[in-house]
Amino acid sequence: MDVYGRFISLAEWKVLIDDWLANPGQEPFYNLKPDAREAVYDAIFIGGGASGRFGAAAMIARGGRALVIDKWPFLGGSCPHEACVPHHVFSEAARELDYAREFSGEYWYPEWDVTKASILEIRDMFMKNRNTGHSIMNFQSKEQLGLEFILGAWATVVDKNTVEVDGARYKCRNLVLCVGARPTPPDIPGITKKGVYDWATILEDLDYEPNRCVVIGGGKTALEYGSFIQATGCPTTYLSRSPILGTKGLHHVDDDIRDFVVRMLKHRGSVIHEGAEPLEILGEDKVTGVRFRDADGNEQIISTDFVFLGTGERALSGQFGSLGLELNDRGQIVVDAHMETSVKGVYACGDLIDGPMEMFKARKAGVCAARNIMGETDYTFDYSDFPDFLHTTYEVAWTGLSESEAREKYSNVVVIQMPPKGVAPQDCGLPATDGSMFFAFTRPGLNGIIKSIIDADSRKIVGMHSVGFGNKNSFQYLDVLIKQPNGFTIDQMAEVNELFLNDGFPQLHRLRAGQKVLKDL
Ligand SMILES: Cc1cc2nc3c(=O)[nH]c(=O)nc-3n(C[C@H](O)[C@H](O)[C@H](O)COP(=O)(O)OP(=O)(O)OC[C@H]3O[C@@H](n4cnc5c(N)ncnc54)[C@H](O)[C@@H]3O)c2cc1C
Ligand SMILES: NC(=O)c1ccc[n+]([C@@H]2O[C@H](COP(=O)([O-])OP(=O)(O)OC[C@H]3O[C@@H](n4cnc5c(N)ncnc54)[C@H](OP(=O)(O)O)[C@@H]3O)[C@@H](O)[C@H]2O)c1
């Protein structure tokens, strides 16, 4: 369908996308200027997810000409369709359910009724409404950003200056590869049985209400989905090869934070096996159990009708074999600090390259490629260090060094922490942040933990960590503050004007800021 020059409202996009997804294989949506077939684009972006859409927008903002192609009938990619956005919906449900269970029968909370919290129902709510988000992406990209796009069609690279879509060829001076990654099922006998799901198939294929769950993995995906599943009342067991949150891809996880997370998962009833090796998914056609070797080397069997895989993803670099790009040992495309691959004029971004699979990296990598193509050749993007977060029933957020990393690097480390070290959390009604007041007053110990790590010699804050509620947004900005060239000191933190009296960071730093020789708090 040619949509160029035609105003399409948000509501119309929703109908078009609904229809396309219900009846796939329809004609693509073309939003191309009339000379598209003869034009030579500054860049063609293959994949219109986080990296492709932001890259193309950045190019257009700088006066360039970009074409974005996506196999889905919408822009925005996997984040709103099947990854971050459903995860946030499920994590919000997990938090609400957690309160409902913890306060069952108290105050205005009804008695907890396990039959009322349905994974299927919450999943269906997301699926019914997800195209609303997609329509905003299409509307904004077309009407406000002026993106040229072809949606609902596979792009095939003919050579580095030619891309074929739906039988037609389009020319470009540069190619930007933005096709992302997909889940990688581990090589375990029985893994293809019905009842084994990942973050994508739980949305598309789940057709029964699980009664028991085994989560394989101990990283973000495992904890986020496992916490949600447990919160619905479906007993969940984690089989984690490395310690929970100890996987190599996660950096700077502080031991106290990890301990709190693990303790809280257990408090909610989850069972955790660390150092566990899954050996077989049991059952005839459908899963009935998982056989695994525990950390002591003993084999065990857990009965379950549902296995959730949080075992990571693999870059979709295979489709570009003809370009002869250099790949690393994990199949990711190797790029330099400009996002340029080993082939000049070919760039790669987002989950296709190494580093964290996160939205900030995908979006900024796309922008970095676009800026370089537009002549800003000294513009680079370093994603080796970054703030991080995940959900359990809490928000877990952190930036900078963990305490043990700081102690290795600095000889004089001071820690400000709440609850303070040596104090039993169940005796301490702090931190009491927005969202944890109820826990702080009635269930001390469940209210969270905050921690700041300071190099006492320079007085600079070198790491900040938090488990609680409503904290991850502030960590975006705290990260910038503490990583300024001159750093951010405890004394500067003391000057911050807190809007919430209980935000622990400004007040606790202020209590210590006057001290000449800093001490732990
Ligand atoms: C469960 C889960 C939760 C997450 N939660 C968060 C979060 O809370 N915060 C966060 O920052 N990150 C989160 N992430 C990570 C984030 O989703 C990714 O890092 C981000 O979406 C990657 O963007 P991308 O542009 O590389 O790829 P994508 O957004 O996946 O885009 C790739 C696009 O390429 C298209 N495509 C592929 N091949 C072709 C082809 N040949 N022709 C045309 N189109 C093609 C696809 O249709 C897709 O639209 C989460 C990931 C997962 C799995
Ligand atoms: N921001 C967010 O909220 C968010 C949410 C989800 C994902 N993401 C991002 O997406 C990426 C993928 O995350 P992820 O949690 O899916 O994967 P991950 O970080 O790679 O963790 C994979 C987990 O699965 C385990 N595992 C892998 N293969 C296994 C096997 N064969 N047998 C048993 N266990 C196995 C790993 O154990 P080992 O440690 O022993 O290898 C690890 O615990 C990451 O970059 C992550 O940051 C972000």
Side-chain angles (χ1 to χ4, degrees), residues 87-88 186-188 199 216-222 224 239-242 246-250 276 278 310-313 355-358 388-391:
H87 133 225
H88 279 261
D187 187 15
I188 302 170
W199 47 267
I216 302 182
K220 290 187 183 184
T221 305
E224 286 169 343
L239 298 182
S240 183
R241 206 165 52 179
S242 43
T247 192
K248 236 180 20 213
L250 280 174
T311 46
E313 297 172 48
M357 294 182 174
E358 301 289 342
D388 215 347
F389 93 98
L390 70 120
H391 287 115

Side-chain angles (χ1 to χ4, degrees), residues 310-368:
T311 46
E313 297 172 48
R314 196 161 176 88
L316 289 173
S317 54
Q319 49 183 307
F320 306 116
S322 65
L323 289 170
L325 307 173
E326 184 187 344
L327 305 182
N328 67 18
D329 58 358
R330 281 168 296 147
Q332 295 159 324
I333 297 176
V334 175
V335 292
D336 62 17
H338 308 269
M339 305 302 115
E340 195 164 24
T341 69
S342 56
V343 175
K344 202 166 166 35
V346 179
Y347 295 74
C349 302
D351 289 356
L352 258 185
I353 62 176
D354 73 346
M357 294 182 174
E358 301 289 342
M359 291 298 282
F360 83 88
K361 189 198 83 184
R363 290 169 173 166
K364 288 176 76 175
V367 170
C368 177

